[in-house]
Structures are given as C-alpha cells and as structure tokens.
C-alpha cells in the first residue's frame, strides 16, 4: 500500500495527541531513511542504530514542536544530524578528559584498585534501587528492559522472544527507558 503525504500528516496529527499506532506508523515509515543517513555518516551499524533510536525518541518527545511547513523526514534528519554532532563532541571531550586522567593516575598510581566493601555495598544498593524503579513499570516494559539490559539480548533476539516486529521492540524499549527516567527523576524530587 502506497503511503501518501496526507497519511503522514494525519499520523503526525494523531501522534501529537499521543496515539501509539501513529508513533509506530511514523517509526516504520521513516526508520530506514534516518538509519541509512546515519550509516553513511558513521559507517558503523551499531552507532547508526543507536543514533536512529535516539532520533525517534527525541522526535516523539518533541512531536508537538513539529511544524507542518517542513517535510517530516527533513525534521527527523536534522534531529539525527544534531544528535550525531553532540555525540562526536562528547567523544572528543571524553578523549581529552581521559588523557588528563591518565596523566593524573600516572602521578598517583595506587597499587590496589579492587573495590572496597563500601564500594560493593553502594553498588548493590544502587542496583536494588534501580530494580525497585523498574518494578513500577507496566509488565511489558519490565520485560523488554530485562531482556535488553539484564539478559543482554539484541533487538532482533528480543523481537524473536516476544514474537513482535523489530521496530515495535525498539519503540517499546524507548518508551520503557523514558518512563523509567521519569520515575527516577520524580524520586529525586
């Protein structure tokens, strides 16, 4: 079935109202465009996929700000390009920071780098706190978080496990991470 410009406009309008099917429609119709654009820029499939996921996450978060005078694809590509530029800047900053840290660590080289009992306790408490936050999510979001981050399955493996399309898994994981971040942020207030 041919997708028309009117179909896209209608789905954007519905997505602005929070319609999940419209989000899926937009993701399915523009995923390849954004992913291909990033694959050409990064020449790395994993990085291109990560940036594409971030692009849709940011676009869906800011869908209300989309202006119909511009092509939706152009808007997505612009978001994607900005995310990629931010990541490059962050990597460059991390490289210079690591270089300074290495110089500092050479000066203050400590023989024992094993975590102390206090470090282990803090790590356990942080993990326990994170698990409590995850339990506040709906079961289908808990499941996708568990499969991706605790069982370390790929998106394709999760799609097979859940018997769902790959793009649905990606959107579900994006939504789960966003909801989890909101829960954690509310807890800090």
């Amino acid at each position: 079935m041919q997708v028309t410009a009117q179909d896209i406009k209608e789905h954007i309008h519905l997505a602005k109202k929070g319609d999940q099917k419209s989000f899926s429609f937009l993701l399915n119709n523009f995923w390849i465009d954004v992913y291909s654009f990033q694959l050409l820029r990064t020449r790395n499939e994993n990085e291109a996929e990560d940036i594409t996921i971030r692009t849709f996450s940011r676009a869906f978060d800011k869908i209300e700000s989309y202006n119909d005078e511009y092509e939706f694809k152009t808007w997505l590509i612009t978001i994607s390009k900005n995310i990629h530029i931010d990541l490059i800047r962050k990597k460059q900053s991390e490289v210079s920071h690591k270089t300074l840290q290495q110089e500092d660590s050479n000066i203050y080289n400590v023989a024992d780098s094993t975590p102390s009992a206090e470090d282990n306790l803090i790590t356990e408490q942080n993990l326990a706190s994170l698990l409590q936050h995850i339990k506040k999510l709906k079961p289908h979001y808990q499941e996708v978080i568990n499969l991706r981050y605790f069982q370390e399955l790929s998106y394709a493996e999760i799609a097979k496990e859940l018997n769902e399309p790959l793009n649905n898994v990606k959107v579900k994981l994006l939504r789960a991470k966003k909801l989890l971040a909101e829960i954690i942020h509310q807890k800090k207030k």
Side-chain angles (χ1 to χ4, degrees), residues 45-181:
E45 290 179 6
N46 291 332
E47 201 171 331
E49 183 177 36
D50 182 53
I51 294 169
T52 303
I53 289 169
R54 289 177 188 215
T55 299
F56 280 96
S57 177
R58 188 171 296 168
F60 291 166
D61 284 345
K62 307 280 186 197
I63 192 90
E64 298 85 25
S65 69
Y66 170 68
N67 183 345
D68 316 31
E69 294 176 21
Y70 304 101
E71 288 285 330
F72 190 70
K73 177 180 168 183
T74 304
W75 186 65
L76 288 171
I77 296 294
T78 302
I79 292 170
S80 182
K81 186 170 77 175
N82 290 337
I83 289 171
H84 185 232
I85 290 168
D86 289 345
L87 287 174
I88 290 171
R89 287 180 182 148
K90 184 177 178 184
K91 282 181 185 177
Q92 289 171 343
S93 174
E94 287 174 358
V95 167
S96 65
H97 184 71
K98 282 182 183 178
T99 303
L100 290 174
Q101 279 184 327
Q102 286 174 346
E103 290 172 1
D104 288 348
S105 70
N106 289 340
I107 295 170
Y108 303 104
N109 195 3
V110 180
D112 186 15
S113 63
T114 57
S116 67
E118 292 86 5
D119 292 335
N120 288 334
L121 182 62
I122 290 169
T123 301
E124 287 176 22
Q125 287 174 342
N126 286 340
L127 182 58
S129 175
L130 177 62
L131 290 172
Q132 287 300 318
H133 292 314
I134 290 171
K135 286 181 182 178
K136 294 176 185 173
L137 294 171
K138 291 182 180 177
H140 61 276
Y141 290 138
Q142 289 180 30
E143 183 177 31
V144 75
I145 291 274
N146 178 40
L147 292 171
R148 180 68 177 154
Y149 296 105
F150 292 98
Q151 295 183 29
E152 298 181 349
L153 297 182
S154 70
Y155 294 112
E157 291 169 330
I158 295 170
K160 187 175 180 182
E161 176 83 18
L162 299 177
N163 196 25
E164 290 187 24
L166 183 62
N167 286 340
N168 286 8
V169 168
K170 291 174 183 175
V171 170
K172 192 180 287 186
L173 191 58
L174 283 173
R175 299 274 303 146
K177 290 192 305 188
K178 181 181 178 205
L179 291 170
L180 183 59

Side-chain angles (χ1 to χ4, degrees), residues 31-51:
W31 177 268
I32 294 296
D33 296 321
V34 177
Y35 177 76
S36 300
F37 173 77
Q38 281 303 330
L39 194 56
L40 286 172
R41 288 176 66 99
T42 64
R43 293 186 172 90
N44 179 309
E45 290 179 6
N46 291 332
E47 201 171 331
E49 183 177 36
D50 182 53
I51 294 169

Side-chain angles (χ1 to χ4, degrees), residues 129 133 136 182-189:
S129 175
H133 292 314
K136 294 176 185 173
E182 288 174 3
I183 290 169
I184 292 169
H185 183 71
Q186 287 174 353
K187 178 73 174 169
K188 289 181 179 179
K189 285 185 177 181

